[in-house]
Amino acid sequence: MATLERGYMAAQVAMNTTIAAATGGLTVFILKYGLTRKYDIGGFCNGILAGLVSITAGCGNVECGSAFAIALLGGLFYVAGSLLIKKLKIDDPVDAFAVHGVAGAWGVLAAALFDWGKDFDHYHGWSGFSCMTAEDGSCKTGLGGEGVAANIAEVVAIMAWVAVCSSLVFGPLHAVGWLRASDDVQDVGFDQAKHSPSKGYASTIPPDNTKVIESEI
């Protein structure tokens, strides 16, 4: 049923989502430039995703300023997760774990930490603009800690669910030797060995044109 409150909530969700996407992208872009002195467009795109993932859980129960803070921290957590995976020498070329695992876990916790209930006394959660109420209609008190604890439990439950389901899929693949490409295929590249066309990008700049471009610059 369409109501004025639902319209306001839709606007709030849209604003929080937009703010988070922009903040996450710019945070990672600036940080990566500070670390490498190069413009990392891939990192910028993943920063946008990290911001979106970070705000997904709390998009309907946090203020716009909180959405900014959540996405900013989500971008930082994404970069930290990406660097950690590389340090551990785990193959994750598209930073899927850093974006969806690290930023996702942070987003679930942030939904409770930044909930727009009064301090940690009241809690809104899925109630939107209204606090969770007791039987007499008054706002329940002392729910902030319970909300954080519940969201921590949710993160643990999601991790367990993913671990079990992934094991059911990847375990048999590993057992029959289908999980990892052969060394020869990895050396050549999957595009060249398995795909048609054999290049990710069909168009190339000839060497002569490259020289022309460099001279013009």
Side-chain angles (χ1 to χ4, degrees), residues 132-213:
M132 291 186 174
T133 58
E135 292 182 1
D136 60 359
S138 63
C139 291
K140 290 183 178 180
T141 58
L143 293 181
E146 293 182 14
V148 173
N151 283 26
I152 291 174
E154 289 172 7
V155 172
V156 174
I158 292 169
M159 291 173 62
W161 181 80
V162 171
V164 171
C165 291
S166 298
S167 298
L168 293 175
V169 174
F170 296 128
L173 291 176
H174 177 69
V176 299
W178 292 353
L179 184 61
R180 182 178 179 274
S182 66
D183 292 338
D184 292 339
V185 171
Q186 291 189 56
D187 289 338
V188 174
F190 254 99
D191 283 352
Q192 187 70 31
K194 300 290 185 179
H195 294 176
S196 178
S198 59
K199 294 181 180 179
Y201 301 93
S203 61
T204 57
I205 300 176
D208 293 341
N209 290 352
T210 304
K211 294 178 180 179
V212 172
I213 292 173

Side-chain angles (χ1 to χ4, degrees), residues 10-215:
Q12 184 74 28
V13 169
M15 181 60 70
N16 284 345
T17 303
T18 303
I19 290 172
T23 303
L26 289 174
T27 298
V28 174
F29 185 76
I30 294 170
L31 182 57
K32 284 292 190 75
Y33 181 79
L35 293 173
T36 64
R37 294 300 172 184
K38 294 181 180 179
Y39 301 115
D40 188 344
I41 301 302
F44 175 64
C45 293
N46 275 344
I48 293 173
L49 290 175
L52 291 170
V53 170
S54 296
I55 199 60
T56 296
C59 61
N61 69 304
V62 301
E63 298 175 347
C64 292
S66 297
F68 172 83
I70 290 170
L72 190 150
L73 291 171
L76 297 179
F77 286 138
Y78 155 72
V79 173
S82 177
L83 293 175
L84 177 62
I85 289 297
K86 292 181 176 66
K87 183 71 174 178
L88 296 175
K89 296 183 178 181
I90 297 175
D91 188 17
D92 186 7
V94 296
D95 275 342
F97 173 76
V99 171
H100 299 282
V102 177
W106 159 244
V108 174
L109 296 177
L113 294 172
F114 288 85
D115 184 271
W116 56 24
K118 182 180 179 182
D119 299 323
F120 276 97
D121 197 30
H122 297 167
Y123 195 72
H124 286 221
W126 286 357
S127 298
F129 295 113
S130 304
C131 61
M132 291 186 174
T133 58
E135 292 182 1
D136 60 359
S138 63
C139 291
K140 290 183 178 180
T141 58
L143 293 181
E146 293 182 14
V148 173
N151 283 26
I152 291 174
E154 289 172 7
V155 172
V156 174
I158 292 169
M159 291 173 62
W161 181 80
V162 171
V164 171
C165 291
S166 298
S167 298
L168 293 175
V169 174
F170 296 128
L173 291 176
H174 177 69
V176 299
W178 292 353
L179 184 61
R180 182 178 179 274
S182 66
D183 292 338
D184 292 339
V185 171
Q186 291 189 56
D187 289 338
V188 174
F190 254 99
D191 283 352
Q192 187 70 31
K194 300 290 185 179
H195 294 176
S196 178
S198 59
K199 294 181 180 179
Y201 301 93
S203 61
T204 57
I205 300 176
D208 293 341
N209 290 352
T210 304
K211 294 178 180 179
V212 172
I213 292 173
E214 291 176 351
S215 65

